[in-house]
Amino acid sequence: MNDKLNKIKESIASSNDQSRYVTAAVLIGIIVVLLALNNGLLIWLALGVAFMLGFKEALQLYEIDHSLWLYGLGVGVWLAAFFSAAPIECGIGACVLLAAYLAYKQTLSEKTFLPFIYPTIPFLVLYSVYVDFGVWQVVWLILIVSLCDIGAFFGGRMFGNTPFSPTSPKKTLEGVIIGLATALVVGSIAGIFMLKTTFVFSIVVSFVVAICGVFGDLYESYLKRKAGVKDSGKILPGHGGILDRFDAILFGAIGLHIMLMFFNDFSCVRCVVLTPDFLQ
């Protein structure tokens, strides 16, 4: 146990981790300010910048030429999302346009679709969580994903022995389990007190979001292994690229949006699961 604690201390003290923590502190500060201001235009702009940087990284990971028209379509999708009541459909619309052009000309590579599936649609889903359900749902999302990531990191360093997946050899099953447990416990409590949901709903959503986050991180690792790179980019010192930081949040946002839309549509279930008065 002492050896594992010493390894964690050495890891934290390393120069790479120091830059990682400085970058994390800056990112947390920016996120806190944005969420505290709760201004729709600012959040759309901030997410738009992150999206376009992530879009650029995705083109590199998919080994797609950086054509100006691709960036133009990406910007067009994000602009349309601001004015649309259903931002996610803007990404689907872009895919339909690409499919139509492919069928008509037969000169477009099928790989061109990939950056409009990931990360475009997940970023649109993340924005939709804010538009459809408000800022506190975004806070809950970030909290659950972050707790899972922190729990998995320290749990893996201390107790990890069993590899989780060949896609990411450094991740361990023990670390993932500890991360999920951490997110489940604290995320459930946060859901109850922040959003006034029931225990059942909080624990189900926390689990779904956390497990989606785990596989979001794993998918990003898969893309990097296929591309033969360590990080998706270099814009964030100690962290790599935008997608390196947003991978778990993007998949987690999809899980959260699905859960919230599902229970929002089924009012009979919502009365039982969402309403705290049901437990009284």
Side-chain angles (χ1 to χ4, degrees), residues 17 41 49 92 99 106 218 220 238 240 251 256:
D17 279 333
L41 178 60
V49 171
I92 298 173
Q106 299 186 29
L218 196 64
E220 179 68 16
F251 270 50
L256 178 60

Side-chain angles (χ1 to χ4, degrees), residues 17-232:
D17 279 333
Q18 290 293 342
S19 64
R20 182 182 181 88
Y21 298 137
V22 171
T23 302
V26 173
L27 289 175
I28 290 171
I30 293 173
I31 291 170
V32 168
V33 170
L34 284 171
L35 295 178
L37 291 174
N38 192 18
N39 181 282
L41 178 60
L42 284 178
I43 289 178
W44 173 79
L45 283 172
L47 278 177
V49 171
F51 161 61
M52 289 311 301
L53 291 171
F55 188 86
K56 178 178 180 293
E57 293 172 2
L59 292 179
Q60 295 172 335
L61 291 176
Y62 294 130
E63 298 179 338
I64 298 172
D65 291 337
H66 292 238
S67 301
L68 187 60
W69 72 270
L70 284 174
Y71 288 106
L73 184 56
V75 171
V77 166
W78 199 255
L79 284 171
F82 181 75
F83 297 99
S84 175
I88 300 170
E89 293 183 2
C90 297
I92 298 173
C95 291
V96 171
L97 285 175
L98 290 172
Y101 185 82
L102 173 64
Y104 180 64
K105 285 289 188 179
Q106 299 186 29
T107 57
L108 196 66
S109 171
E110 287 83 356
K111 289 200 304 182
T112 310
F113 287 86
L114 295 177
F116 289 95
I117 296 173
Y118 177 89
T120 299
I121 289 179
F123 263 106
L124 290 169
V125 174
L126 176 57
Y127 178 57
S128 294
V129 170
Y130 173 74
V131 171
D132 295 337
F133 301 103
V135 68
W136 284 108
Q137 297 288 358
V138 178
V139 173
W140 195 24
L141 165 67
I142 295 172
L143 182 65
I144 294 170
V145 171
S146 300
L147 287 168
C148 187
D149 188 43
I150 293 169
F153 175 79
F154 287 104
R157 291 294 178 93
M158 294 186 68
F159 305 106
N161 289 306
T162 310
F164 176 63
S165 168
T167 300
S168 185
K170 291 184 178 180
K171 286 184 175 59
T172 63
L173 180 61
E174 292 83 359
V176 170
I177 292 173
I178 292 171
L180 289 173
T182 304
L184 205 59
V185 173
V186 185
S188 298
I189 294 172
I192 292 170
F193 286 97
M194 286 195 317
L195 303 170
K196 308 301 181 183
T197 62
T198 65
F199 173 74
V200 173
F201 182 72
S202 289
I203 200 167
V204 170
V205 171
S206 295
F207 177 76
V208 170
V209 171
I211 199 71
C212 285
V214 168
F215 283 98
D217 184 69
L218 196 64
Y219 180 68
E220 179 68 16
S221 297
Y222 166 77
L223 292 181
K224 289 186 290 188
R225 277 180 83 84
K226 293 285 288 183
V229 296
K230 180 182 178 183
D231 298 314
S232 64

